[in-house]
Amino acid sequence: MKKVTMLDIANKAGVSKATVSMVLNKRDGNISEETKSKVMALAKEMNYIPNHLARSLSTKKTNTIGIVLPDITNPFFASIARAIEDGASYLGYNVIFCNTDNEIKKEEKYIKVLISKLVDGVIFIAGGESCTSIKMLRNNNVPFVLVDRYIDSYKEDYGVYCLNKSGVIQGIDYLYDKGKRNIAFVKGPDTLEISNQRLQGYKCAMSQYGIYNENLIFKGSFNIEGGMDSTKILLESKEKIDAIFYSNDLMALGGIKVLLRNGIRIPQDISIIGFDNIHISQFIEPELTTIAQPIYEMGKESCKLLIDIINNKRRLSKQVYFETQLIVRSTTL
Ligand code: RIB
C-alpha cells in the first residue's frame, strides 16, 4: 500500500504542497484557520505519518539518541535504560536500544548502525575494551556520554559513574563493625576497570584493618551462574569465612542459592553483601544487604548530560560521580 504523502493531502484539500508542509510543520502563521483545520483533518483521516528522514536531512537532527548496553537481561542495565528512556521522552527524544551481550564485535556493529541512522547522540555503557567503538563515535563527531563502565583512557570524556572503590570500603567497614574478620571477596570480570576499582576498595579496607588475605579473593563474572560457580570454589577452598562480599547483586543471588543448598545459614553462619541494589534484591529470601548504586539517578543524569551536549549547553564538569549507599537487610548480622 502506497504511503500517504503531503502531495496527496494537498490534492485532496485543493491547496499547494507548500501550504500542507507549513501547516504540518507548524509554520502556518499566514494560513487561514479554515485551511489549517481542513489540512489537519485530512492528514488524520488519511493516516499521514511524517517522513522524519526527510526532515532530519534538512534539520540535521533526528531527535533520537542511542543507548548501547552490555546485557539487557541484567536488571541493573534494564533499570538504567528505563531511566534514560524516561528522561529522553520527557525531553522530546526517541531512543534506540542496542544490547551487545558484552561482545565487542556486536558493540562495534551497533555503533555503526547508530551513526548511520544519524542519531543525535549515544549513551554508551562499555562491554569491555571498547576503544574502537569510542573512536568511531569521536571520528564521526557523534556526541556521547560514557556511563557506569569507567575506562581510564577516556576519563576526560563526558561520563556518569558511581564511586566504586569507596562503595566497597563502606561495605567492609560495616562488616568489620559487625565483628567479621574473614571476609571473602568475589570480584567482577578482570576486563572491566570497575571490577578493579571494587577490588582495590576491598584490598585497601582489609589491609587497613590488618585482615587482608589474598586467598579470600575469588574470580567472578557479574552473573548469577558466575556467583554460583565462585561460591562452590569458595566452599571447596576450606578457608575460614564469616562473610562474603559479592561485586554485584546477581552474583550474590547465585551465591546465596549455593550456600543455602549446602545447609549454611545466612546470616548466622555467613553474612552476605552485594553491590548495585537491583530491584529484586529486596524481594529474595533472605533479603540482600547491598551497596546501592543510584541507578535511576545515574540514568537520568546521563540522559540530561547528553542532551545538554547536543544542545551545546555548557557544563561545569564533564564527569558526574555518584556516591553509593549501604542498604542493610537480612543477609548480614
Ligand atoms: O551487575 C552488573 C554490574 O556491571 C554492575 O555492578 C554495574 O556497575 C555494571 O557495570
Side-chain angles (χ1 to χ4, degrees), residues 74 76-77 148-149 194 198 222 247-248 275-276 293:
N74 182 326
F76 174 88
F77 297 116
D148 168 59
R149 295 285 173 81
I194 60 158
R198 294 176 194 173
F222 273 168
S247 290
N248 81 329
F275 197 105
D276 283 344
Q293 294 198 62

Side-chain angles (χ1 to χ4, degrees), residues 291-302:
I291 298 298
Q293 294 198 62
I295 303 171
Y296 194 84
E297 293 77 7
M298 288 169 70
K300 286 292 282 284
E301 178 59 25
S302 64

Side-chain angles (χ1 to χ4, degrees), residues 68-297:
V68 178
L69 41 85
D71 178 5
I72 196 72
T73 65
N74 182 326
F76 174 88
F77 297 116
S79 296
I80 214 163
R82 168 63 193 274
I84 294 166
E85 201 278 332
D86 283 351
S89 297
Y90 177 76
L91 293 168
Y93 282 77
N94 299 309
V95 170
I96 298 175
F97 291 106
C98 302
N99 176 54
T100 67
D101 287 332
N102 285 299
E103 293 170 18
I104 296 301
K105 286 299 172 207
K106 198 169 178 184
E107 183 182 277
E108 291 167 7
K109 179 200 79 171
Y110 272 126
I111 292 293
K112 289 174 187 163
V113 166
L114 292 173
I115 292 170
S116 68
K117 288 193 176 298
L118 303 175
V119 294
D120 295 333
V122 173
I123 291 176
F124 185 61
I125 307 180
E129 303 297 324
S130 303
C131 302
T132 303
S133 298
I134 294 171
K135 282 175 187 159
M136 281 195 280
L137 291 168
R138 275 183 167 172
N139 295 343
N140 288 276
N141 299 313
V142 177
F144 64 90
V145 172
L146 303 175
V147 179
D148 168 59
R149 295 285 173 81
Y150 178 87
I151 304 175
D152 198 56
S153 314
Y154 299 101
K155 63 188 174 193
E156 301 304 325
D157 282 288
Y158 287 100
V160 175
Y161 308 104
C162 97
L163 293 167
N164 289 291
K165 180 176 179 182
S166 59
V168 172
I169 291 170
Q170 199 177 16
I172 299 296
D173 288 347
Y174 167 71
L175 291 171
Y176 188 85
D177 288 348
K178 288 288 180 183
K180 310 305 172 190
R181 297 293 181 269
N182 305 288
I183 305 167
F185 186 78
V186 181
K187 62 181 183 178
D190 291 331
T191 52
L192 300 174
E193 288 184 44
I194 60 158
S195 301
N196 188 46
Q197 289 175 344
R198 294 176 194 173
L199 178 60
Q200 291 314 311
Y202 170 79
K203 289 182 174 179
C204 174
M206 296 293 278
S207 302
Q208 279 180 341
Y209 288 121
I211 55 174
Y212 176 71
N213 170 5
E214 66 178 9
N215 298 324
L216 296 185
I217 295 172
F218 297 86
K219 279 187 176 297
S221 58
F222 273 168
N223 57 40
I224 292 177
E225 297 78 4
M228 294 179 73
D229 295 342
S230 306
T231 306
K232 288 171 187 168
I233 293 166
L234 177 151
L235 291 175
E236 287 159 8
S237 72
K238 303 298 180 201
E239 289 285 342
K240 182 176 181 335
I241 290 168
D242 50 28
I244 306 172
F245 196 135
Y246 290 90
S247 290
N248 81 329
D249 287 354
L250 286 183
M251 290 200 288
L253 301 190
I256 288 169
K257 184 175 184 64
V258 169
L259 293 169
L260 294 176
R261 193 185 280 170
N262 282 272
I264 291 165
R265 298 173 303 160
I266 299 170
Q268 296 84 340
D269 297 335
I270 293 182
S271 286
I272 304 294
I273 190 167
F275 197 105
D276 283 344
N277 192 33
I278 56 176
H279 186 62
I280 196 170
S281 60
Q282 63 191 300
F283 298 109
I284 61 164
E285 188 55 44
E287 297 168 11
L288 182 62
T289 295
T290 188
I291 298 298
Q293 294 198 62
I295 303 171
Y296 194 84
E297 293 77 7

Side-chain angles (χ1 to χ4, degrees), residues 58-72:
S58 63
T59 63
K60 300 285 184 286
K61 288 198 75 175
T62 58
N63 277 70
T64 303
I65 60 173
I67 305 178
V68 178
L69 41 85
D71 178 5
I72 196 72

Side-chain angles (χ1 to χ4, degrees), residues 18-58:
T19 297
V20 172
S21 174
M22 284 187 283
V23 171
L24 296 181
N25 288 302
K26 306 282 188 269
R27 296 196 304 270
D28 49 15
N30 300 324
I31 297 170
S32 72
E33 287 306 317
E34 182 193 0
T35 300
K36 275 193 256 183
S37 304
K38 186 182 344 178
V39 168
M40 293 304 286
L42 277 171
K44 186 175 180 183
E45 178 193 319
M46 297 166 75
N47 296 316
Y48 170 74
I49 296 172
N51 180 338
H52 285 308
L53 183 58
R55 190 169 70 189
S56 302
L57 291 174
S58 63

